[in-house]
Amino acid sequence: MKVYIKTYGCQMNERDSDAMASQLEACGHTIVFTEEEADVLLFNTCSVRDAAERKAKGKIGYMKKLKAQKPGLIIGVAGCMAQRLGDQLLAELPHLDFVLGTGQLHTLPEKLAEIAATRARFSATEPSFDVLTGMGGHFSHTWHAEIAITRGCNRFCSYCIVPYVRGREISRSISDVVEEARELVANGVKEILLLGQNVAAFGLNGDTRPPAPGYSPFADLLDELDKIDGLLRIRYTSPYVSYFNDRLIETLARAKKVCHNIHLPLQSGSDRILKEMNRQYTRDSYLAKVAELRSAIPDITFSTDVIVGFPGETDADFALTREVMNQVDYAQSFVFKYSPRPGAKSAERQDSVPEEVKEERNQILLADLAARVEKRLAGMYQKTVEVLVEGVSPRNPERWSGRTGTNIMVHFEPDDKIQAGTLRQVKIIQTNPVSLFGKLAD
Ligand code: SAH
Ligand code: SF4
Ligand code: F3S
């Protein structure tokens, strides 16, 4: 059959879609890239904010038209919204054929065969650990690949739906991950991005206490991956701040391939709000960790996630968030307007901050980010940096672009030997508020 997959949500969902595509291909199906040519439409969905669910539901609802023209069309919903709503989705959307929860993704090929034969609608949302081993295939083949090293989350931040829809945290073994990485590198991959809701909890068997000094299975994994010949860069997202102990920091500073960039979710800069969010750190302990990382790895850059408008967030709480953000000087930040998620603890409280205030706080943080980025980029004028070449610039076909290890994009004019997935030296010759332009210097 011809299968079209549309993905919503985070990189982990993208990774799951890629693994499902690879499974389907291995079973003789073809992946197509337009809805019109498909026999099966699969929507891999997200639940993290209400807007994410509304977007997917709107799209799936709209597919009713296509099904009316093509009655044999099979429509399925997978992923986090599928897990959260299950049967309810079948009831709400009469043209929907199946619902596949986050623990059942690896069963897609057999489920498709069943539904093609019987046309019986179903919803499968039982948790299963088999999904961990069944989702290692890769459909896309470029210089970049992603590896899921953990699934699920045990932290239960009060606003967050993820632990409910992705289930308990489980880790793969070091040997399993290293084997997948070696195979990818043998097939031309140069950069690997490790994925997990809290990658630094890798190998801790679901224990929510940060590891003891001297102990970090995540650092052990990085050490092993660092040894792979032919691999140029290792990235990871997201780690939880409290898990950066001496062992991990020492590894990050020493490892040759691990990039000097950390996505370190802050969520709020107010201790009162952090406590209500059930985040297990304070403003001071977060800032102390950032200082420790900066002293071990002087060129490190940080990015972050914050939520504005958590129930009860005052102007004073928001001012604290803003202050921490400017102090850490994040190179990138993602600001989310609080969205109550039914089932998550904070949804029991009134969503008290008005939408306009959330939007105003969002705009303030975006403007602060733009100012910081402009300053950082201006400071790179005349410097020579190493980039991993990504390919032709999306907006200007005469230029190519690449990224520094610190995750800053650089555009430049190509030479004859330019090739995606190689490391090149670029001297920055021009900066503007949002981008860097350079000249190949090797
Ligand atoms: N595991 C990651 C986060 C995954 S969800 C971590 O702990 O950092 C990605 C981001 O969505 C979160 O960092 C948070 O900022 C945001 N988010 C999660 N739930 C939300 C909610 N109910 N409303 C608004 N933003 C939310
Ligand atoms: Fe959600 Fe917190 Fe788990 Fe991240 S660590 S996925 S924010 S519960
Ligand atoms: Fe990711 Fe959304 Fe699920 S952020 S884990 S796809 S709820």
Side-chain angles (χ1 to χ4, degrees):
M1 286 191 282
K2 292 184 183 147
V3 187
Y4 169 85
I5 306 180
K6 168 128 183 101
T7 311
Y8 297 87
C10 65
Q11 283 161 308
M12 256 153 297
N13 251 21
E14 297 280 354
R15 172 71 198 104
D16 283 346
S17 290
D18 193 67
M20 286 191 282
S22 140
Q23 264 184 322
L24 291 170
E25 197 183 39
C27 296
H29 299 289
T30 309
I31 303 301
V32 294
F33 300 93
T34 65
E35 292 149 10
E36 289 71 25
E37 53 182 322
D39 305 309
V40 181
L41 300 177
L42 180 67
F43 297 92
N44 192 13
T45 57
C46 173
S47 262
V48 82
R49 285 168 289 276
D50 186 48
E53 288 199 354
R54 268 189 284 125
K55 201 165 152 194
K57 275 194 188 169
K59 178 78 184 176
I60 301 159
Y62 190 67
M63 292 298 112
K64 199 171 177 173
K65 267 195 194 157
L66 205 59
K67 187 142 178 173
Q69 293 162 10
K70 203 171 162 183
L73 185 66
I74 297 173
I75 305 184
V77 178
C80 297
M81 183 177 77
Q83 185 67 36
R84 192 174 88 78
L85 298 174
D87 284 331
Q88 199 183 315
L89 279 174
L90 288 181
E92 260 179 57
L93 301 161
H95 60 296
L96 187 62
D97 293 282
F98 71 94
V99 174
L100 204 58
T102 50
Q104 293 291 324
L105 301 178
H106 60 296
T107 66
L108 178 62
E110 66 185 81
K111 292 273 171 29
L112 269 188
E114 256 173 57
I115 203 160
T118 64
R119 302 296 309 193
R121 303 172 82 207
F122 72 85
S123 157
T125 53
E126 308 75 33
S128 162
F129 283 173
D130 295 342
V131 73
L132 194 64
T133 43
M135 300 287 286
H138 291 261
F139 176 75
S140 316
H141 299 286
T142 70
W143 50 271
H144 172 91
E146 304 181 354
I147 301 183
I149 63 168
T150 67
R151 293 186 79 86
C153 183
N154 284 359
R155 297 218 57 91
F156 292 93
C157 302
S158 68
Y159 50 81
C160 187
I161 197 72
V162 172
Y164 303 93
V165 291
R166 286 254 163 185
R168 296 293 53 77
E169 177 188 284
I170 36 172
S171 296
R172 296 170 63 188
S173 67
I174 290 187
S175 57
D176 219 19
V177 176
V178 171
E179 196 184 315
E180 187 173 329
R182 281 192 191 286
E183 208 177 304
L184 288 165
V185 173
N187 286 316
V189 167
K190 305 291 181 193
E191 176 180 84
I192 284 175
L193 172 66
L194 305 173
L195 296 175
Q197 294 300 345
N198 174 9
V199 279
F202 173 81
L204 299 179
N205 302 318
D207 192 339
T208 52
R209 286 167 304 179
Y215 177 65
S216 170
F218 179 57
D220 299 343
L221 173 67
L222 292 176
D223 272 333
E224 288 307 309
L225 294 173
D226 205 50
K227 292 180 197 156
I228 299 179
D229 281 337
L231 179 62
L232 300 177
R233 282 183 173 177
I234 303 165
R235 297 186 185 274
Y236 53 92
T237 193
S238 307
Y240 194 94
V241 65
S242 332
Y243 291 62
F244 285 87
N245 63 8
D246 54 344
R247 167 80 179 97
L248 181 53
I249 295 177
E250 177 270 321
T251 303
L252 298 176
R254 174 178 40 77
K256 292 189 294 292
K257 300 173 182 173
V258 179
C259 289
H260 291 180
N261 171 253
I262 306 182
H263 184 68
L264 198 62
L266 170 69
Q267 311 301 358
S268 170
S270 153
D271 284 348
R272 189 178 68 82
I273 299 286
L274 284 171
K275 194 148 187 264
E276 287 174 12
M277 287 177 161
N278 193 29
R279 298 288 287 187
Q280 310 277 312
Y281 51 86
T282 60
R283 166 197 181 87
D284 284 351
S285 70
Y286 183 101
L287 288 171
K289 213 42 102 176
V290 166
E292 210 183 315
L293 282 157
R294 278 219 163 103
S295 100
I297 311 164
D299 70 339
I300 199 152
T301 55
F302 294 95
S303 60
T304 202
D305 290 346
V306 296
I307 296 175
V308 289
F310 184 83
E313 185 189 65
T314 62
D315 285 341
D317 292 317
F318 172 69
L320 288 166
T321 300
R322 190 176 177 197
E323 196 180 281
V324 175
M325 290 182 79
N326 286 327
Q327 193 172 333
V328 177
D329 191 21
Y330 296 107
Q332 175 61 284
S333 56
F334 301 92
V335 182
F336 301 104
K337 289 184 268 182
Y338 173 73
S339 164
R341 308 309 296 130
K345 188 93 178 61
S346 69
E348 291 163 13
R349 297 179 54 186
Q350 197 202 339
D351 181 12
S352 62
V353 179
E355 183 59 29
E356 316 82 78
V357 176
K358 287 180 186 167
E359 182 52 30
E360 194 186 322
R361 291 177 182 169
N362 179 26
Q363 290 303 329
I364 291 171
L365 296 182
L366 290 177
D368 284 355
L369 173 69
R372 287 197 309 269
V373 168
E374 179 170 1
K375 199 163 152 215
R376 178 183 308 276
L377 298 186
M380 289 175 74
Y381 182 61
Q382 298 283 359
K383 294 215 165 106
T384 298
V385 292
E386 183 180 70
V387 302
L388 182 65
V389 178
E390 298 201 345
V392 176
S393 295
R395 291 212 196 106
N396 183 345
E398 272 152 39
R399 290 179 176 178
W400 280 53
S401 54
R403 221 172 263 274
T404 65
T406 51
N407 213 18
I408 295 171
M409 182 71 95
V410 181
H411 303 275
F412 52 86
E413 262 154 36
D415 62 6
D416 297 344
K417 55 178 189 182
I418 198 76
Q419 207 188 336
T422 56
L423 292 173
R424 297 294 300 269
Q425 301 292 320
V426 181
K427 184 171 182 190
I428 307 301
I429 54 170
Q430 203 183 317
T431 73
N432 71 34
V434 291
S435 62
L436 292 176
F437 180 70
K439 200 168 132 226
L440 285 167
D442 57 357

